[in-house]
Amino acid sequence: MPENEVSTPATPPTADGIVIRSTGSWYDVRTPAGVVPAKMRGKFRLRQGATTNPVAVGDNVSLRLNADETGLITEIHPRRNKLSRRAAGRRVGKEHVIVSNIDAALVMQSVELPKPNPGFVDRFLVMATYHDLEAGIILNKTDLQNENNRGNVAYFKDIYQDLGYSIFLVSAKSGEGMDALREFLNGKVSVIAGPSGAGKSTLLNALEPDLDLPTGEVSLKTKKGRHTTTNAALFPINATSYVADTPGIREYGLFGITAEDLGHYYPEFEPYLNQCKFPNCMHDHEPACAVKDAVEQDEIHPTRFHNYLSILDSLYLGEKDVGR
């Protein structure tokens, strides 16, 4: 090299990929060359605003590749959609993005151990509808059906199926109903969320045994599950289908939805919303409310309406008492 010629530093290699796992400050990014563990630039934290996690599982990102085979996330590409909830604990008031860029969102419950929670289900479905996602319900552990809990199965099958939601009655243990679920998931990027113990990891192992995800038992004393999934992750279940597994969620706070708009995310309310006496009717204490009349006439299921009122109260309170 001539004495007066200045060498130009080599440009670091780059890659594009999708975030498949979030573990604290590290993100696993799947790129054409393989999975790269990466951190994000500090500027993303500075501008995260009302969001707890500026980078979420499912995000498409650009990386700068380091010599030690790690990466630095330099760009987060626009999301086509997301599923989120209100952050819990000391971060209440912020949005927590569960997963982004998905085709379907499924809430998972179990017939028993733990018992199904219709209030949790309705909160999840409201948020899925708010984000314009195809939504459905998985009711696992049908092998535990008996005379005492058979009504739980009937409730989900009869009520939500009539509302247009996809319902899957399955047993990850026996294989019952799994073929229909596989068909639904085929060719999609989906997310499954629910409480610990509902069997999400067991279900994913049944869908793709090579995953070999750790599973846990439900405490017979508390009737609640123990956390086995600690971080959100995106798993392939065949060549064209991916499912995001999430840590168990005990409470599902709504984010971005106002009390005034809540009724619009209940599909069975739609035929009656313009028939109330008052145009700003909240379907709570107002007289001449067409929605309440529909409940009395069994055209709207009373449990769904009760859950609506519970969510409405929590929105009035600013979600200080998040429904469970």
Side-chain angles (χ1 to χ4, degrees), residues 164-194:
Y165 296 109
S166 299
I167 308 296
F168 302 96
L169 307 178
V170 307
S171 170
K173 183 178 180 179
S174 72
E176 178 186 354
M178 294 295 291
D179 287 343
L181 179 59
R182 285 191 184 91
E183 184 177 350
F184 175 83
L185 298 172
N186 193 44
K188 295 186 177 79
V189 177
S190 307
V191 58
I192 298 176

mmCIF file of all heavy atoms in Angstrom, residues 164-194:
data_model
loop_
_atom_site.group_PDB
_atom_site.id
_atom_site.type_symbol
_atom_site.label_atom_id
_atom_site.label_comp_id
_atom_site.label_asym_id
_atom_site.label_seq_id
_atom_site.Cartn_x
_atom_site.Cartn_y
_atom_site.Cartn_z
ATOM 1 N N GLY A 164 -68.640 -17.414 16.122
ATOM 2 C CA GLY A 164 -67.723 -17.399 14.994
ATOM 3 C C GLY A 164 -66.280 -17.694 15.332
ATOM 4 O O GLY A 164 -65.419 -17.643 14.442
ATOM 5 N N TYR A 165 -65.994 -18.001 16.592
ATOM 6 C CA TYR A 165 -64.625 -18.340 16.966
ATOM 7 C C TYR A 165 -64.359 -19.820 16.682
ATOM 8 O O TYR A 165 -65.244 -20.662 16.854
ATOM 9 C CB TYR A 165 -64.391 -18.062 18.455
ATOM 10 C CG TYR A 165 -64.515 -16.615 18.836
ATOM 11 C CD1 TYR A 165 -65.598 -16.163 19.599
ATOM 12 C CD2 TYR A 165 -63.562 -15.687 18.445
ATOM 13 C CE1 TYR A 165 -65.721 -14.825 19.957
ATOM 14 C CE2 TYR A 165 -63.675 -14.345 18.796
ATOM 15 C CZ TYR A 165 -64.762 -13.930 19.550
ATOM 16 O OH TYR A 165 -64.877 -12.611 19.902
ATOM 17 N N SER A 166 -63.137 -20.121 16.267
ATOM 18 C CA SER A 166 -62.739 -21.515 16.071
ATOM 19 C C SER A 166 -62.545 -22.162 17.442
ATOM 20 O O SER A 166 -61.874 -21.596 18.306
ATOM 21 C CB SER A 166 -61.441 -21.594 15.264
ATOM 22 O OG SER A 166 -61.611 -21.026 13.983
ATOM 23 N N ILE A 167 -63.129 -23.340 17.642
ATOM 24 C CA ILE A 167 -63.038 -24.050 18.918
ATOM 25 C C ILE A 167 -62.379 -25.399 18.672
ATOM 26 O O ILE A 167 -62.779 -26.144 17.775
ATOM 27 C CB ILE A 167 -64.432 -24.277 19.546
ATOM 28 C CG1 ILE A 167 -65.205 -22.960 19.625
ATOM 29 C CG2 ILE A 167 -64.296 -24.908 20.927
ATOM 30 C CD1 ILE A 167 -64.592 -21.927 20.530
ATOM 31 N N PHE A 168 -61.386 -25.708 19.506
ATOM 32 C CA PHE A 168 -60.689 -26.981 19.384
ATOM 33 C C PHE A 168 -60.725 -27.698 20.731
ATOM 34 O O PHE A 168 -60.153 -27.211 21.713
ATOM 35 C CB PHE A 168 -59.244 -26.762 18.920
ATOM 36 C CG PHE A 168 -59.147 -26.036 17.615
ATOM 37 C CD1 PHE A 168 -58.945 -24.667 17.582
ATOM 38 C CD2 PHE A 168 -59.315 -26.720 16.415
ATOM 39 C CE1 PHE A 168 -58.888 -23.991 16.379
ATOM 40 C CE2 PHE A 168 -59.251 -26.054 15.204
ATOM 41 C CZ PHE A 168 -59.044 -24.684 15.181
ATOM 42 N N LEU A 169 -61.433 -28.809 20.767
ATOM 43 C CA LEU A 169 -61.499 -29.653 21.961
ATOM 44 C C LEU A 169 -60.465 -30.746 21.775
ATOM 45 O O LEU A 169 -60.616 -31.612 20.908
ATOM 46 C CB LEU A 169 -62.897 -30.239 22.130
ATOM 47 C CG LEU A 169 -64.057 -29.225 22.119
ATOM 48 C CD1 LEU A 169 -65.395 -29.937 22.248
ATOM 49 C CD2 LEU A 169 -63.883 -28.198 23.221
ATOM 50 N N VAL A 170 -59.396 -30.703 22.565
ATOM 51 C CA VAL A 170 -58.270 -31.595 22.315
ATOM 52 C C VAL A 170 -57.787 -32.243 23.609
ATOM 53 O O VAL A 170 -58.074 -31.780 24.711
ATOM 54 C CB VAL A 170 -57.079 -30.840 21.674
ATOM 55 C CG1 VAL A 170 -57.513 -30.082 20.433
ATOM 56 C CG2 VAL A 170 -56.425 -29.889 22.667
ATOM 57 N N SER A 171 -57.041 -33.299 23.407
ATOM 58 C CA SER A 171 -56.260 -33.898 24.479
ATOM 59 C C SER A 171 -54.855 -34.103 23.934
ATOM 60 O O SER A 171 -54.630 -34.976 23.097
ATOM 61 C CB SER A 171 -56.854 -35.230 24.950
ATOM 62 O OG SER A 171 -55.947 -35.890 25.819
ATOM 63 N N ALA A 172 -53.929 -33.264 24.403
ATOM 64 C CA ALA A 172 -52.547 -33.423 23.968
ATOM 65 C C ALA A 172 -51.994 -34.766 24.431
ATOM 66 O O ALA A 172 -51.064 -35.300 23.830
ATOM 67 C CB ALA A 172 -51.696 -32.281 24.526
ATOM 68 N N LYS A 173 -52.601 -35.332 25.469
ATOM 69 C CA LYS A 173 -52.148 -36.610 26.018
ATOM 70 C C LYS A 173 -52.598 -37.783 25.157
ATOM 71 O O LYS A 173 -51.805 -38.664 24.809
ATOM 72 C CB LYS A 173 -52.660 -36.769 27.441
ATOM 73 C CG LYS A 173 -52.203 -38.034 28.139
ATOM 74 C CD LYS A 173 -52.726 -38.063 29.579
ATOM 75 C CE LYS A 173 -52.283 -39.334 30.295
ATOM 76 N NZ LYS A 173 -52.773 -39.367 31.705
ATOM 77 N N SER A 174 -53.897 -37.791 24.756
ATOM 78 C CA SER A 174 -54.426 -38.922 23.994
ATOM 79 C C SER A 174 -54.396 -38.689 22.485
ATOM 80 O O SER A 174 -54.522 -39.632 21.707
ATOM 81 C CB SER A 174 -55.862 -39.213 24.429
ATOM 82 O OG SER A 174 -56.753 -38.195 23.963
ATOM 83 N N GLY A 175 -54.274 -37.424 22.063
ATOM 84 C CA GLY A 175 -54.281 -37.107 20.634
ATOM 85 C C GLY A 175 -55.649 -36.721 20.109
ATOM 86 O O GLY A 175 -55.774 -36.339 18.933
ATOM 87 N N GLU A 176 -56.672 -36.782 20.944
ATOM 88 C CA GLU A 176 -58.022 -36.436 20.503
ATOM 89 C C GLU A 176 -58.069 -34.981 20.018
ATOM 90 O O GLU A 176 -57.591 -34.064 20.678
ATOM 91 C CB GLU A 176 -59.015 -36.609 21.658
ATOM 92 C CG GLU A 176 -60.444 -36.216 21.306
ATOM 93 C CD GLU A 176 -61.382 -36.267 22.514
ATOM 94 O OE1 GLU A 176 -60.935 -36.709 23.591
ATOM 95 O OE2 GLU A 176 -62.541 -35.850 22.370
ATOM 96 N N GLY A 177 -58.644 -34.768 18.838
ATOM 97 C CA GLY A 177 -58.853 -33.434 18.297
ATOM 98 C C GLY A 177 -57.627 -32.766 17.713
ATOM 99 O O GLY A 177 -57.716 -31.641 17.199
ATOM 100 N N MET A 178 -56.481 -33.424 17.758
ATOM 101 C CA MET A 178 -55.241 -32.774 17.323
ATOM 102 C C MET A 178 -55.180 -32.585 15.805
ATOM 103 O O MET A 178 -54.573 -31.632 15.319
ATOM 104 C CB MET A 178 -54.037 -33.584 17.804
ATOM 105 C CG MET A 178 -53.878 -33.604 19.322
ATOM 106 S SD MET A 178 -53.524 -31.971 20.005
ATOM 107 C CE MET A 178 -51.869 -31.701 19.371
ATOM 108 N N ASP A 179 -55.811 -33.461 15.045
ATOM 109 C CA ASP A 179 -55.765 -33.333 13.588
ATOM 110 C C ASP A 179 -56.442 -32.047 13.125
ATOM 111 O O ASP A 179 -55.947 -31.353 12.226
ATOM 112 C CB ASP A 179 -56.418 -34.545 12.920
ATOM 113 C CG ASP A 179 -55.569 -35.800 13.025
ATOM 114 O OD1 ASP A 179 -54.359 -35.667 13.326
ATOM 115 O OD2 ASP A 179 -56.103 -36.909 12.826
ATOM 116 N N ALA A 180 -57.579 -31.722 13.745
ATOM 117 C CA ALA A 180 -58.279 -30.489 13.376
ATOM 118 C C ALA A 180 -57.449 -29.270 13.734
ATOM 119 O O ALA A 180 -57.416 -28.282 12.985
ATOM 120 C CB ALA A 180 -59.636 -30.436 14.077
ATOM 121 N N LEU A 181 -56.756 -29.322 14.865
ATOM 122 C CA LEU A 181 -55.904 -28.203 15.264
ATOM 123 C C LEU A 181 -54.726 -28.055 14.302
ATOM 124 O O LEU A 181 -54.376 -26.940 13.905
ATOM 125 C CB LEU A 181 -55.414 -28.400 16.695
ATOM 126 C CG LEU A 181 -54.491 -27.316 17.248
ATOM 127 C CD1 LEU A 181 -55.179 -25.961 17.228
ATOM 128 C CD2 LEU A 181 -54.039 -27.674 18.660
ATOM 129 N N ARG A 182 -54.110 -29.170 13.917
ATOM 130 C CA ARG A 182 -53.006 -29.122 12.955
ATOM 131 C C ARG A 182 -53.449 -28.481 11.643
ATOM 132 O O ARG A 182 -52.726 -27.676 11.044
ATOM 133 C CB ARG A 182 -52.471 -30.528 12.684
ATOM 134 C CG ARG A 182 -51.617 -31.113 13.784
ATOM 135 C CD ARG A 182 -50.925 -32.391 13.320
ATOM 136 N NE ARG A 182 -50.178 -33.009 14.402
ATOM 137 C CZ ARG A 182 -50.671 -33.914 15.232
ATOM 138 N NH1 ARG A 182 -51.928 -34.328 15.082
ATOM 139 N NH2 ARG A 182 -49.928 -34.413 16.187
ATOM 140 N N GLU A 183 -54.628 -28.846 11.193
ATOM 141 C CA GLU A 183 -55.137 -28.295 9.939
ATOM 142 C C GLU A 183 -55.320 -26.786 10.046
ATOM 143 O O GLU A 183 -55.011 -26.033 9.115
ATOM 144 C CB GLU A 183 -56.468 -28.963 9.584
ATOM 145 C CG GLU A 183 -57.031 -28.513 8.243
ATOM 146 C CD GLU A 183 -58.312 -29.245 7.883
ATOM 147 O OE1 GLU A 183 -58.665 -30.232 8.571
ATOM 148 O OE2 GLU A 183 -58.970 -28.825 6.914
ATOM 149 N N PHE A 184 -55.811 -26.328 11.200
ATOM 150 C CA PHE A 184 -56.008 -24.888 11.402
ATOM 151 C C PHE A 184 -54.673 -24.147 11.402
ATOM 152 O O PHE A 184 -54.537 -23.060 10.836
ATOM 153 C CB PHE A 184 -56.736 -24.646 12.721
ATOM 154 C CG PHE A 184 -56.883 -23.195 13.092
ATOM 155 C CD1 PHE A 184 -57.922 -22.434 12.574
ATOM 156 C CD2 PHE A 184 -55.975 -22.576 13.949
ATOM 157 C CE1 PHE A 184 -58.052 -21.090 12.902
ATOM 158 C CE2 PHE A 184 -56.093 -21.234 14.280
ATOM 159 C CZ PHE A 184 -57.130 -20.491 13.757
ATOM 160 N N LEU A 185 -53.665 -24.725 12.045
ATOM 161 C CA LEU A 185 -52.367 -24.070 12.184
ATOM 162 C C LEU A 185 -51.536 -24.111 10.905
ATOM 163 O O LEU A 185 -50.605 -23.314 10.749
ATOM 164 C CB LEU A 185 -51.568 -24.725 13.315
ATOM 165 C CG LEU A 185 -52.157 -24.643 14.727
ATOM 166 C CD1 LEU A 185 -51.345 -25.499 15.680
ATOM 167 C CD2 LEU A 185 -52.215 -23.201 15.211
ATOM 168 N N ASN A 186 -51.871 -25.010 10.006
ATOM 169 C CA ASN A 186 -51.039 -25.229 8.822
ATOM 170 C C ASN A 186 -50.900 -23.962 7.975
ATOM 171 O O ASN A 186 -51.885 -23.320 7.609
ATOM 172 C CB ASN A 186 -51.630 -26.357 7.965
ATOM 173 C CG ASN A 186 -50.665 -26.848 6.920
ATOM 174 O OD1 ASN A 186 -49.488 -27.048 7.197
ATOM 175 N ND2 ASN A 186 -51.153 -27.048 5.701
ATOM 176 N N GLY A 187 -49.652 -23.613 7.687
ATOM 177 C CA GLY A 187 -49.381 -22.457 6.848
ATOM 178 C C GLY A 187 -49.492 -21.115 7.553
ATOM 179 O O GLY A 187 -49.390 -20.075 6.909
ATOM 180 N N LYS A 188 -49.682 -21.129 8.880
ATOM 181 C CA LYS A 188 -49.858 -19.888 9.640
ATOM 182 C C LYS A 188 -48.726 -19.684 10.642
ATOM 183 O O LYS A 188 -48.032 -20.629 11.023
ATOM 184 C CB LYS A 188 -51.179 -19.921 10.433
ATOM 185 C CG LYS A 188 -52.462 -19.960 9.638
ATOM 186 C CD LYS A 188 -53.641 -19.846 10.597
ATOM 187 C CE LYS A 188 -54.988 -19.800 9.873
ATOM 188 N NZ LYS A 188 -55.411 -21.132 9.446
ATOM 189 N N VAL A 189 -48.582 -18.431 11.064
ATOM 190 C CA VAL A 189 -47.815 -18.103 12.265
ATOM 191 C C VAL A 189 -48.851 -17.783 13.334
ATOM 192 O O VAL A 189 -49.626 -16.835 13.186
ATOM 193 C CB VAL A 189 -46.880 -16.899 12.045
ATOM 194 C CG1 VAL A 189 -46.151 -16.557 13.342
ATOM 195 C CG2 VAL A 189 -45.886 -17.187 10.933
ATOM 196 N N SER A 190 -48.902 -18.596 14.369
ATOM 197 C CA SER A 190 -49.939 -18.475 15.393
ATOM 198 C C SER A 190 -49.317 -18.281 16.762
ATOM 199 O O SER A 190 -48.140 -18.564 16.985
ATOM 200 C CB SER A 190 -50.823 -19.736 15.414
ATOM 201 O OG SER A 190 -51.342 -20.026 14.132
ATOM 202 N N VAL A 191 -50.111 -17.794 17.692
ATOM 203 C CA VAL A 191 -49.679 -17.681 19.080
ATOM 204 C C VAL A 191 -50.702 -18.398 19.953
ATOM 205 O O VAL A 191 -51.905 -18.347 19.696
ATOM 206 C CB VAL A 191 -49.528 -16.210 19.527
ATOM 207 C CG1 VAL A 191 -50.824 -15.431 19.376
ATOM 208 C CG2 VAL A 191 -49.022 -16.119 20.970
ATOM 209 N N ILE A 192 -50.190 -19.100 20.967
ATOM 210 C CA ILE A 192 -51.045 -19.764 21.947
ATOM 211 C C ILE A 192 -50.720 -19.182 23.312
ATOM 212 O O ILE A 192 -49.556 -19.175 23.731
ATOM 213 C CB ILE A 192 -50.833 -21.288 21.950
ATOM 214 C CG1 ILE A 192 -51.196 -21.880 20.584
ATOM 215 C CG2 ILE A 192 -51.645 -21.947 23.050
ATOM 216 C CD1 ILE A 192 -50.931 -23.374 20.468
ATOM 217 N N ALA A 193 -51.733 -18.681 24.001
ATOM 218 C CA ALA A 193 -51.533 -18.078 25.315
ATOM 219 C C ALA A 193 -52.548 -18.642 26.293
ATOM 220 O O ALA A 193 -53.659 -19.023 25.916
ATOM 221 C CB ALA A 193 -51.656 -16.560 25.240
ATOM 222 N N GLY A 194 -52.165 -18.693 27.557
ATOM 223 C CA GLY A 194 -53.058 -19.198 28.582
ATOM 224 C C GLY A 194 -52.337 -19.313 29.905
ATOM 225 O O GLY A 194 -51.151 -18.975 30.019
#
